[in-house]
Amino acid sequence: SELVSSRTLVGARRCLSGDVGGMRKTLASGYEMPLFSLGTWKAKKGLTQAAVETAIKAGYRNIDTANDYNNEEEIGQAFQNLFNEKIVTRDDIFVQSKLWNSNHRSEHVEADLDQTLKDLQLDYVDMYMIHWPQAAPSYGKQAATRVDGAIADHYSKNPMFPLDDAGYYCADMESHYVETWQKMEELVDKGKVKSIGISNFNKAQIEEVVSVAKHPVSLLQNESHVYLQQKDLIDQCNFRNIVFQSFSSLGSGDTNYASYASPTGTIPLKDPHIASLAEKYKKSPAQIMLRWGIQRGISVVSKSVTPERVLSNFDIWDWELSEEDMKSFDQLNCGWRHLLWGEVSHHPDYPFKDELPYNYVLEKCSNFAPGQGKQD
């Protein structure tokens, strides 16, 4: 029997009993994408492989990665183990990765993807996104990938997060994301990428890419959770036939990089309204928020390396939130963005200038391994 009512998802294929991977949507590119993705940002090396294997065996079919997370090698090994054990085939899984900021110049784009493909031990990825619109941190002189160092260091060492002599992030002011996008389209033509998308872009930047795109913008991945609901951005994506995908779907918990505390005085996982709904439905706060995201009709990325949480986060398909309770989330939409990353705001393509505090002064790098976090 159907487990999800038709009103909950516009344009999504409804999840049927025993339907592995959960709900799916057809992208503008024509390919089908599972809406629920295992995130690997801030997943520590040594824990990521087991998390991916646990997730796939539990029914996940979408894995979100990036070269700068410094763990794609482990994910690649997980894939090989799963293929060898005949748990899944390559065609069964949807793998999405991202082009890092240091490689926006057209001559550096393919090198970034090639390192990802080598690490993942794959011939292609299903989705490839421009990770951020701004070419910062970037030195711009040569490609920088995981093997060069997924850390912040002096630009002379060619790391992925290059710093100038004073300790500020370098910015490649001669690079703009439209030229980057056009190079990404060539990767589709070569068969190395099935679909392409963007991440952390604002509304005007989305429109600029859409206006020049020969291959459709199929996905927008941006921070979104109950405190940052992105309603206008989701409407824009629906209008442009772009699937919206949330990262930090749980507000990023205690591993968030927030420069400014939430105006609620807490984080989404500890919010009292979420707690009351969790009690009402006999679910965890994480399950409540992930179910809310899916019922909004968007794609969600949820990261954990703890096996029990990997399993419980995905256990959201045989129940739903009432219409009244869905509406109650409106009261939480306070506009709190945890990943503002003002340290790269000196680049003209930085997307969130209107969210920086008045009289914001550029800060030096303070996190020297930005993609790597503690266990959760």
Side-chain angles (χ1 to χ4, degrees), residues 25-27 33 35 218-220 237 241-245 299:
K25 268 190 177 180
T26 299
L27 300 168
M33 184 187 79
L35 289 183
S218 291
L219 188 72
L220 172 70
C237 284
N241 195 25
I242 300 169
V243 172
F244 182 92
Q245 184 178 74
S299 173

Side-chain angles (χ1 to χ4, degrees), residues 226 229 231 273 292 296 324-334:
V226 298
Q229 296 183 17
K231 296 179 183 182
H273 181 65
W292 168 77
R296 297 176 82 200
E324 181 182 3
D325 287 334
M326 284 294 292
K327 182 67 177 172
S328 75
F329 283 82
D330 289 353
Q331 66 186 286
L332 303 179
N333 190 22
C334 58

Side-chain angles (χ1 to χ4, degrees), residues 144-198:
T145 67
R146 177 194 61 78
V147 295
D148 301 300
I151 56 172
D153 205 344
H154 191 264
Y155 67 86
S156 61
K157 299 179 182 178
N158 197 41
M160 298 185 77
F161 297 79
L163 305 175
D164 65 16
D165 293 337
Y168 295 95
Y169 281 126
C170 296
D172 181 7
M173 300 296 190
E174 298 175 13
S175 181
H176 183 58
Y177 51 78
V178 164
E179 289 76 26
T180 309
W181 177 263
Q182 291 167 337
K183 185 64 179 182
M184 300 267 283
E185 292 180 320
E186 293 181 21
L187 301 178
V188 178
D189 295 334
K190 288 185 174 184
K192 291 184 172 183
V193 174
K194 298 289 188 184
S195 306
I196 46 179
I198 51 183

Side-chain angles (χ1 to χ4, degrees), residues 90-125:
R90 174 63 185 93
D91 290 342
D92 292 332
I93 58 173
F94 188 98
V95 182
Q96 50 184 63
S97 193
K98 309 174 194 77
L99 173 79
W100 184 236
N101 308 11
S102 55
N103 300 320
H104 274 207
R105 292 197 180 201
S106 59
E107 62 267 30
H108 300 153
V109 171
E110 194 162 5
D112 186 295
L113 174 62
D114 286 345
Q115 185 62 54
T116 280
L117 293 176
K118 180 180 179 181
D119 286 346
L120 294 176
Q121 301 184 55
L122 300 176
D123 296 325
Y124 68 91
V125 290

Side-chain angles (χ1 to χ4, degrees), residues 77-91:
Q77 188 55 56
F79 290 158
Q80 289 305 306
N81 291 346
L82 292 160
F83 297 158
N84 292 337
E85 294 172 28
K86 302 191 184 310
I87 304 296
V88 288
T89 66
R90 174 63 185 93
D91 290 342

